[in-house]
Amino acid sequence: MGASRRTFIASVLAGSVVGALPGIASASAAPRTATPAAGTAGDVVGKITVGYQGWFACAGDGAPIDGWWHWSQDWSRTPSPANNAIKAWPDMREFTGAYRTGYGNLGDGQPATLFSSYDQQTVDTHFLWMRQNGCDTAALQRFNPNSSEGPTRDAMAAKVRSSAEANDVKFYVMYDVTGWTAMQTEIKADWTAKMSAHTASTAYARQSGQPVVCIWGFGFNDDNHPWDAATCLDVVTWFKSQGCYVIGGVPREWRTGTGGSRAGYSGVYHAFDMLSPWMVGAIGTAADSDSVYQNVNIPDQADCDANGIDYQPCVLPGDVSANQRAHGDFMWRQFYNMVRVGAQGIYVSMFDEYGEGNQIAKTAENASQVPTGSGLLALDADGTACSSDYYLRLTADGGRMLKGQLALTATRPTPPVTGTGTPPGTDLALNRPTSDSGHTQGYVSGNAVDGDPNTYWESADNAFPQWLQVDLGTTTATARIVLTLPPSAAWGARTQTFSVQGGTDGSTFTTLAAAAGHTFDPATGNTVTVTFPAAADVRYLRVVVTANTGWPAGQFSGLQVYSA
C-alpha cells in the first residue's frame, strides 16, 4: 500500500512545531505588502495551487492497480466499516461513474457508492470544480513511479492533463519522494522519459516562462527522507539545468534547521525558486495560525525576500475528524495571515484528501448523504450546516483576497450555505467572483460587484459582442438584476443593447431575458432593472452586450442580482 507524507510526518510536526512556539501574535503585528521577490505573476506566483492526489480507484474501473486504491485498508477487498481508510464521505451527486461499496445505504436510502479517479469523468468533474472556484493550478502528486502504483499514476497524469486543458486550469508535477529509495537517479529518469512530455501541454504551469516542477520531502528529519544535503542539492540543480522553475515542499522549520528539519540543509532550501513549507499536523486552531504567522511566516517571508525566493505557504481546511474546521473560520484565518504576510502564492492542502479528512472537494453535507452506521463524517460535524461546496467557495474567496480582488479582512466573507433564507433585498452578486470576455485598461469585471458606484467595467473597444459574468457561489433562485453606470451627469444618457443568460456550470447558458435596448439616463440615476419572466435557478449570470450608443464597448458600474 502506498504511504502518505502526512502520515509519516504528523508526529514530527505535532511534537515540534506548535508546542515550541511563543505566545499568540499580538493584534498590533504589522502586516506586510505582497511584493514578489523573484518571480512575477505567473501560474504559481499570485495564484492558488491545490494539491491533487488523484489516487482513488475501485475494483472494476479498469485501472492497472486493480483494487480499491486508498478507499480501504485492504485494497483487495470492498471498502466497508471494517475495511475503511477515509474519514469523510464525498458528495457523489455529480459523478456518472459510481462503484457500490460494502457500507450500508446512505441516510436518504440511496446506495453507498464511491468514485474512481481512473474514470476520466471523475477528473473532469474535479477540474470543473477547480475552475468554478478559483483554483488556478493543480499540483499532481507523484510518488515513486517505479512501484506497483506506477502504471496507474502514469495514466492519471494523462487524465489530469486532459481535464486541465478542457477546463483552463493549470497543472504541474509534484514529486513526493517519501520512501523512494533510489530517488536520486530515478527521479531524473522519470522526468526525462515520461513527465517532461507533459510540459508541451497548453495547461502545464509555467513561471517566468519555465515549466514548474515541485519536489516534496527534502530535508525532513525522519527515516523516510534519508538523503544528505549534497544528494538533494544535486537533484534540485539538475532540474534547474533542465530549464525548470523548481518548488521545494520543505519542513516547517526549514529556516532554522531544527525540529522537523535536518540541520545543514540551508543551501538546499535556498537553491529552490519557491519554498512551500508543510503545515498539516502542525496547527489545528486559528490561534495556532496566528502564532505561526508571527513567529514563522514573517521571518520566513523576510528570508525568502532576502534570497530572491518566492514563498508559497500552506493553507489547510482542517481535519474534519479532529473538529478543526470551525465551519471555515480556521481556514479563513490562514488565508488572512498568508495574504497579510505578503506570500507570493498559496498552496491548499488538499483538494481530494478524504483519507485524512482534509479535503476541500465536495463532501457530504449531513447524515442523509453518509452511509448509516459507518461513523464517517459530513461537513456539519461541528453543528453548522454547510453546503457540499463550502470549502471550494472559501478557497475562491481566499484566492480573491490574495489577488487583491477582495480587501484584506479577518472576517470570513463566505457563508456556509448560500441562497437559503437570504433576505429578498440582499444583493447576491456583491463581492462575488466575476469574469468577462475582455476589458480595457484597469476597468476590470470585479468593479461591477464591488459596491462602489464610481468604479466600472468596460469591455474591449469595437469588439461586440462582449460579456460580463458573475458567479453566485451556488445555484440560487434569481428574479431580477439591476445594472448601473456611475451616477454622474458626465455619463450622458446612452442605450445599451444586451441579453441576460444564466447557467449552473459556467459553460452552458440559457436566455433569461432576450436582447433589448435599455436606456441609462443620469437624470434617473443611470439605473436599469431587468426582471425574468420566471424565477431562474442559476449559479452563473452573464450579461451579453451587443451595442452601446455612448461608447463602442459594454459598460457597467454595478451588476446586482436579487432573488425577488
Side-chain angles (χ1 to χ4, degrees):
M1 178 184 296
S4 162
R5 61 171 174 258
R6 287 151 292 283
T7 302
F8 276 127
I9 68 166
S11 60
V12 175
L13 288 173
S16 66
V17 177
V18 174
L21 293 174
I24 303 305
S26 68
S28 62
R32 297 180 66 258
T33 301
T35 305
T40 56
D43 294 332
V44 289
V45 170
K47 297 299 196 297
I48 294 290
T49 299
V50 295
Y52 188 66
Q53 299 283 26
W55 65 2
F56 294 100
C58 302
D61 63 3
I65 203 160
D66 191 26
W68 293 91
W69 196 30
H70 289 280
W71 286 127
S72 58
Q73 291 293 330
D74 180 351
W75 298 349
S76 68
R77 296 189 297 116
T78 305
S80 68
N83 186 33
N84 173 64
I86 60 175
K87 293 180 179 179
W89 194 261
D91 179 357
M92 289 294 298
R93 291 175 292 183
E94 296 180 46
F95 299 105
T96 57
Y99 298 81
R100 189 69 179 262
T101 69
Y103 294 97
N105 286 346
L106 306 183
D108 63 5
Q110 296 298 309
T113 60
L114 291 169
F115 65 77
S116 168
S117 301
Y118 197 75
D119 288 344
Q120 187 69 57
Q121 191 269 339
T122 295
V123 188
D124 289 345
T125 299
H126 285 163
F127 274 73
L128 173 63
W129 294 350
M130 292 181 200
R131 175 170 65 81
Q132 292 173 335
N133 293 280
C135 304
D136 303 294
T137 304
L140 174 63
Q141 314 295 284
R142 186 166 176 81
F143 291 79
N144 180 0
N146 299 306
S147 70
S148 60
E149 301 178 10
T152 303
R153 291 197 178 277
D154 292 347
M156 287 309 306
K159 293 174 188 293
V160 163
R161 174 176 177 169
S162 174
S163 292
E165 290 172 349
N167 286 282
D168 195 24
V169 173
K170 301 298 184 181
F171 78 101
Y172 62 82
V173 173
M174 184 175 188
Y175 284 106
D176 187 324
V177 297
T178 300
W180 191 350
T181 304
M183 177 276 303
Q184 185 177 11
T185 56
E186 291 181 355
I187 195 172
K188 299 174 186 177
D190 183 73
W191 178 257
T192 301
K194 294 180 179 179
M195 291 300 101
S196 63
H198 291 297
T199 65
S201 170
T202 56
Y204 198 87
R206 289 182 175 271
Q207 186 61 47
S208 303
Q210 300 172 290
V212 176
V213 66
C214 180
I215 305 168
W216 194 99
F218 284 173
F220 282 89
N221 191 16
D222 64 69
D223 292 341
N224 289 287
H225 306 89
W227 310 282
D228 60 24
T231 297
C232 296
L233 184 59
D234 169 71
V235 173
V236 176
T237 302
W238 183 85
F239 272 100
K240 295 180 79 168
S241 76
Q242 304 303 299
C244 295
Y245 175 95
V246 189
I247 302 174
V250 298
R252 205 280 281 150
E253 303 93 337
W254 66 273
R255 180 175 39 79
T256 59
T258 59
S261 172
R262 296 177 184 273
Y265 280 67
S266 179
V268 177
Y269 300 142
H270 286 126
F272 285 108
D273 296 298
M274 172 177 269
L275 289 175
S276 187
W278 191 241
M279 198 56 63
V280 176
I283 60 173
T285 66
D288 290 343
S289 178
D290 284 349
S291 183
V292 168
Y293 164 74
Q294 180 68 31
N295 299 291
V296 176
N297 299 135
I298 289 177
D300 273 6
Q301 183 69 74
D303 187 292
C304 286
D305 288 348
N307 288 281
I309 299 169
D310 294 316
Y311 188 45
Q312 186 198 52
C314 177
V315 164
L316 53 142
D319 180 354
V320 66
S321 69
N323 200 29
Q324 293 177 343
R325 296 198 172 202
H327 43 272
D329 287 345
F330 173 51
M331 190 178 193
W332 188 256
R333 191 68 185 184
Q334 296 170 69
F335 276 127
Y336 169 67
N337 284 335
M338 297 310 99
V339 173
R340 67 175 174 150
V341 84
Q344 280 69 64
I346 290 176
Y347 181 85
V348 175
S349 177
M350 301 284 288
F351 184 85
D352 55 342
E353 183 50 275
Y354 293 97
E356 296 177 6
N358 208 41
Q359 75 290 339
I360 62 169
K362 293 187 183 183
T363 301
E365 297 172 352
N366 51 53
S368 72
Q369 298 172 6
V370 175
T372 57
S374 66
L376 297 174
L377 298 171
L379 291 183
D380 66 349
D382 67 357
T384 299
C386 297
S387 63
S388 68
D389 67 346
Y390 175 46
Y391 287 89
L392 290 167
R393 291 188 288 110
L394 197 70
T395 298
D397 283 343
R400 291 172 60 227
M401 189 165 64
L402 172 69
K403 297 164 188 172
Q405 299 166 355
L406 175 71
L408 179 68
T409 176
T411 302
R412 170 176 51 80
T414 319
V417 178
T418 62
T420 301
T422 303
T426 300
D427 176 9
L428 303 175
L430 183 64
N431 291 323
R432 295 304 307 161
T434 58
S435 55
D436 58 28
S437 54
H439 56 267
T440 186
Q441 300 179 36
Y443 304 111
V444 297
S445 60
N447 290 347
V449 298
D450 64 3
D452 184 342
N454 297 304
T455 62
Y456 60 95
W457 167 74
E458 184 172 295
S459 73
D461 290 350
N462 300 302
F464 291 121
Q466 294 283 295
W467 53 263
L468 170 67
Q469 178 175 305
V470 62
D471 175 4
L472 304 179
T474 190
T475 300
T476 304
T478 58
R480 63 186 172 97
I481 65 171
V482 177
L483 293 161
T484 63
L485 290 176
S488 166
W491 282 76
R494 67 201 62 203
T495 297
Q496 297 195 71
T497 302
F498 59 83
S499 61
V500 182
Q501 301 175 347
T504 58
D505 62 3
S507 59
T508 303
F509 290 86
T510 58
T511 299
L512 306 180
H518 300 271
T519 299
F520 294 79
D521 188 342
T524 55
N526 263 343
T527 298
V528 167
T529 298
V530 179
T531 58
F532 309 144
D537 291 333
V538 300
R539 172 171 174 171
Y540 298 89
L541 271 167
R542 178 179 287 187
V543 181
V544 182
V545 185
T546 54
N548 183 352
T549 62
W551 196 259
Q555 298 170 308
F556 299 116
S557 66
L559 167 57
Q560 302 164 18
V561 181
Y562 297 96
S563 61

